[in-house]
Amino acid sequence: MLDEFADGIWLANGTEVVAAMGFHYPTRMVVVRLTDGALWVWSPVALSQDIRAAVDAIGPVGYLVAPNHLHHVFLADWAEAYPQAELWAAPGLAEKRGDLAFAGTLGNDPAPPWSDVIEQVVIPGNRITTEVVFYHIPSRTVLFCDLLQQLPVGWFKGWRAIVARLDGMIGLEPSVPKKFRVAFSDKDAARAAVRRILGWSPKAVVVAHGAPVTTDGTAVLERAFAWLRPRK
């Protein structure tokens, strides 16, 4: 249920979720082992017995992280299963999920428990959602939630397939769907965030909705954000 992506970082695919207008998406979470052995769980998927057993086999869950205000559906189940874990919310999520007790809101600086292993940056100014992008330093892996997507040809059927193709959700490598591009109200702030991400020189790119990129991650991101024309 957990595939080791690199030393200290694992991926797990979850069940599909259905979003607005019947669009269904694959789901993926990332588990990182921190220096003290605690596990940092990014975008938790549906918690099955198999996934829980696989996670418990590699360490104690210390942190549950929602990278934007859309990826919260399974947080309550994880919080109940791991009451000792801290919940961390992307901007806007704490107001949406008043039923959950969050330890803090994610910003441009990583929290001390994971600052030696993980970098992060907020990509602001998007009317759909504010996303926090993370970077696993040891493996040079960057984590994107919804701002980058890559679904295979044939994933959607009928009119949804046409919409997905026109939106840019379907392609040979991850890209920013057009609905997110037009939703940016502050492109200068977004450029600054992307410039910082490119400065990490990532090797790999992991997205919640699409296949992981294992090589040439920086070049992939440069192409994905070419429309934004980040300034050097």
Side-chain angles (χ1 to χ4, degrees):
M1 299 300 296
L2 279 178
D3 294 322
E4 190 168 13
F5 187 70
D7 187 30
I9 180 171
W10 292 262
L11 311 184
N13 295 329
T15 56
E16 294 179 13
V17 295
V18 179
M21 301 177 68
F23 283 89
H24 62 104
Y25 293 86
T27 59
R28 172 175 293 116
M29 75 176 188
V30 176
V31 178
V32 172
R33 181 186 285 135
L34 302 180
T35 304
D36 64 358
L39 301 182
W40 180 92
V41 183
W42 173 91
S43 189
V45 297
L47 184 60
S48 67
Q49 290 184 346
D50 288 340
I51 285 182
R52 182 169 185 175
V55 169
D56 291 344
I58 61 174
V61 174
Y63 308 93
L64 303 171
V65 176
N68 66 31
H69 90 292
L70 302 175
H71 278 232
H72 62 88
V73 176
F74 305 112
L75 273 181
D77 292 339
W78 282 78
E80 181 178 0
Y82 299 100
Q84 79 284 358
E86 291 185 2
L87 275 65
W88 284 79
L93 179 57
E95 294 80 3
K96 183 176 183 178
R97 292 300 303 265
D99 58 312
L100 296 176
F102 290 99
T105 297
L106 298 161
N108 284 315
D109 298 314
W114 63 78
S115 60
D116 59 338
V117 177
I118 298 169
E119 287 278 5
Q120 66 192 61
V121 64
V122 178
I123 300 186
N126 194 285
R127 290 183 291 270
I128 297 177
T129 190
T130 298
E131 184 161 315
V132 185
V133 176
F134 296 90
Y135 178 66
H136 182 240
I137 301 168
S139 67
R140 296 176 56 200
T141 301
V142 68
L143 310 180
F144 273 88
C145 194
D146 287 326
L147 279 182
L148 288 183
Q149 298 179 23
Q150 185 214 358
L151 301 177
V153 174
W155 180 263
F156 296 110
K157 304 297 182 184
W159 64 269
R160 292 185 184 87
I162 298 173
V163 172
R165 178 175 55 81
L166 295 175
D167 190 46
M169 289 187 280
I170 308 294
L172 298 178
E173 62 183 19
S175 64
V176 182
K178 291 180 181 177
K179 59 179 172 288
F180 283 99
R181 300 185 190 190
V182 301
F184 274 107
S185 59
D186 189 345
K187 288 187 171 60
D188 285 339
R191 287 188 189 100
V194 170
R195 189 182 306 118
R196 183 174 168 190
I197 293 168
L198 293 175
W200 293 332
S201 299
K203 171 187 175 184
V205 181
V206 171
V207 297
H209 310 302
V213 173
T214 58
T215 60
D216 299 322
T218 300
V220 169
L221 294 180
E222 286 175 342
R223 291 191 290 270
F225 287 97
W227 60 275
L228 193 58
R229 300 189 183 282
R231 296 164 185 156
K232 302 294 184 181

